[in-house]
Amino acid sequence: DAGVIQSPRHEVTEMGQEVTLRCKPISGHDYLFWYRQTMMRGLELLIYFNNNVPIDDSGMPEDRFSAKMPNASFSTLKIQPSEPRDSAVYFCASSRQNEQFFGPGTRLTVL
Amino acid sequence: GENVEQHPSTLSVQEGDSAVIKCTYSDSASNYFPWYKQELGKRPQLIIDIRSNVGEKKDQRIAVTLNKTAKHFSLHITETQPEDSAVYFCAASVNGNKLVFGAGTILRVKS
């Protein structure tokens, strides 16, 4: 198994641009999580899905952030418009029974 | 909501010594407590977890203890090795899925 796959691994964009992060969970996992990690705020859960349905999006910082999971093997996290304070590492994770397996992360830099 | 505090923020030990990291949580309904290790530039990885019906769990050089009454749990690493150097995160969850992470502990093992 290839593990959780995220793309791109690095993204540099300018303020105001739309950013789309992608995630492919481990096959057979029915939970998918999006996290953001920064030095100031640590590791924060943004949103999670169960069987492709969003369960808790209380961690999504503002309306500029949106996430979708159109099928069991794909999810996106979109930021529109992006701002410099969105710069962070974004992790996707998936699980079947509690243990969450993290992807390699996307390092986002918004100039 | 749940709040997890983690101490210390940094910990330096000599190779071969033991290391202890402590966490407290606020929600008495939390019943799942995982610990993640994150090496520099890498993804978090689960190293051990414990559920509220168990007071202690061991896996080779790693152990976790849980005190439900006091609402705190600890990670114990014995016979530390340089490869144990990393950031360690504790987390707590009510439903086993929505994890609230502590701020992390930077562990340095000096050889």
Side-chain angles (χ1 to χ4, degrees):
Chain A
D1 196 328
V4 176
I5 299 172
Q6 290 187 246
S7 65
R9 295 292 308 278
H10 301 273
E11 177 82 23
V12 180
T13 191
E14 292 191 347
M15 182 174 61
Q17 296 298 305
E18 178 179 294
V19 175
T20 300
L21 310 181
R22 297 173 176 80
C23 176
K24 176 178 170 56
I26 294 172
S27 177
H29 284 191
D30 53 357
Y31 284 88
L32 183 138
F33 307 82
W34 282 102
Y35 290 91
R36 177 173 67 177
Q37 186 174 37
T38 61
M39 288 295 293
M40 291 298 296
R41 301 178 66 88
L43 197 55
E44 305 172 277
L45 176 65
L46 301 178
I47 185 172
Y48 78 95
F49 297 82
N50 177 220
N51 292 323
N52 313 337
V53 176
I55 302 301
D56 188 331
D57 65 354
S58 59
M60 295 286 263
E62 14 186 315
D63 292 344
R64 297 184 297 106
F65 286 70
S66 62
K68 294 182 180 179
M69 191 165 186
N71 58 61
S73 58
F74 183 66
S75 177
T76 60
L77 178 68
K78 187 174 292 187
I79 309 173
Q80 166 63 19
S82 58
E83 296 183 3
R85 59 194 169 116
D86 302 331
S87 298
V89 178
Y90 291 80
F91 287 104
C92 175
S94 70
S95 73
R96 189 175 59 181
Q97 290 180 346
N98 294 150
E99 179 177 358
Q100 294 186 21
F101 293 83
F102 283 73
T106 295
R107 181 173 295 277
L108 173 65
T109 302
V110 183
L111 303 174
Chain B
E2 176 66 278
N3 182 52
V4 177
E5 296 196 354
Q6 184 171 346
H7 299 280
S9 56
T10 60
L11 179 59
S12 290
V13 299
Q14 283 294 134
E15 182 178 358
D17 288 350
S18 295
V20 180
I21 302 171
K22 299 180 180 181
C23 289
T24 60
Y25 61 98
S26 61
D27 191 342
S28 57
S30 288
N31 56 18
Y32 176 65
F33 308 92
W35 286 87
Y36 283 79
K37 175 183 179 182
Q38 186 177 26
E39 297 178 358
L40 187 63
K42 301 291 182 63
R43 72 194 77 186
Q45 291 188 296
L46 180 74
I47 55 172
I48 195 167
D49 57 10
I50 192 168
R51 298 182 187 279
S52 59
N53 59 347
V54 175
E56 183 176 1
K57 184 177 178 180
K58 288 184 179 180
D59 183 2
Q60 299 182 334
R61 296 187 296 109
I62 294 173
V64 57
T65 59
L66 171 65
N67 183 326
K68 286 177 58 180
T69 303
K71 290 191 284 188
H72 68 68
F73 56 112
S74 300
L75 177 71
H76 303 253
I77 306 174
T78 59
E79 302 173 18
T80 54
Q81 301 168 3
E83 51 265 39
D84 294 329
S85 296
V87 181
Y88 291 81
F89 293 95
C90 64
S93 175
V94 171
N95 62 8
N97 295 303
K98 182 175 181 177
L99 298 180
V100 177
F101 283 88
T105 296
I106 300 172
L107 174 64
R108 295 192 184 93
V109 180
K110 297 176 287 187
S111 57

